[in-house]
Amino acid sequence: MAGFRDNLGRVVQYCENVQDCRRVQQLAYFGEHFDAAKCRGMCDVCRQGAVYQLEDVTESAKALARLVQEMRGDFTLLQLVGVFQGRSSAKTQRQGYDSCDGFGAGKQFSKHNAERLGKSTINGALVCQKHKQGVMRFNVWVVCI
């Protein structure tokens, strides 16, 4: 099961990576090197030509991990991200998540980037996920410590 999750994590990372040349990523998977300059806009990432700035999000990842401890109980990654961004809902208020110290600690992040931070925090083993059958018998992944 661990190998499956690792491979799934790689696929998700590949899909969400909008910074690195696709050919570089694909060939790196097979242990080969490719110079991104030789791609010449052949992949979607290089065609966009976007420039990204490296940012240290260590403190935000720590705040997210502390928020997991504060929230306690079962909640999904999307619920965690909503609380992290400071989005209030009926469930957030009912569970008391809106009174957590970490409520809104990640309001500077877009939803996409907050989700990426949450996933990387999980993949980095600061927190984990476990499988559970939720309401209406849907399978869900819940965040755990």
Side-chain angles (χ1 to χ4, degrees):
M1 184 72 167
F4 171 77
R5 287 198 49 148
D6 289 342
N7 287 338
L8 182 59
R10 286 186 193 139
V11 169
V12 170
Q13 187 275 335
Y14 174 81
C15 293
E16 291 183 343
N17 188 334
V18 294
Q19 180 177 347
D20 299 318
C21 172
R22 298 284 185 207
R23 292 172 78 181
V24 169
Q25 293 180 72
Q26 290 167 352
L27 291 172
Y29 178 81
F30 295 107
E32 297 182 32
H33 175 75
F34 181 77
D35 181 4
K38 292 180 181 177
C39 182
R40 296 189 179 101
M42 296 302 290
C43 76
D44 62 322
V45 174
C46 293
R47 198 170 20 259
Q48 283 182 348
V51 178
Y52 295 92
Q53 184 176 345
L54 189 62
E55 183 179 342
D56 183 359
V57 293
T58 304
E59 293 306 314
S60 296
K62 288 178 184 178
L64 189 61
R66 285 190 300 270
L67 182 59
V68 169
Q69 291 176 323
E70 274 189 276
M71 288 175 67
R72 306 205 185 276
D74 291 341
F75 48 88
T76 65
L77 176 63
L78 293 180
Q79 290 167 333
L80 172 63
V81 166
V83 173
F84 183 61
Q85 288 188 289
R87 287 187 270 128
S88 190
S89 67
K91 183 171 184 171
T92 302
Q93 292 171 358
R94 189 171 52 253
Q95 298 289 341
Y97 296 153
D98 56 339
S99 62
C100 289
D101 288 338
F103 182 80
K107 62 184 170 209
Q108 74 273 22
F109 292 100
S110 67
K111 182 178 179 188
H112 174 75
N113 285 336
E115 286 178 19
R116 287 181 62 212
L117 181 61
K119 288 174 189 170
S120 66
T121 302
I122 289 167
N123 291 337
L126 290 176
V127 297
C128 65
Q129 282 185 313
K130 63 182 177 182
H131 185 257
K132 181 180 178 180
Q133 195 168 62
V135 180
M136 308 273 290
R137 303 183 67 94
F138 289 113
N139 293 321
V140 296
W141 288 94
V142 294
V143 178
C144 57
I145 296 173

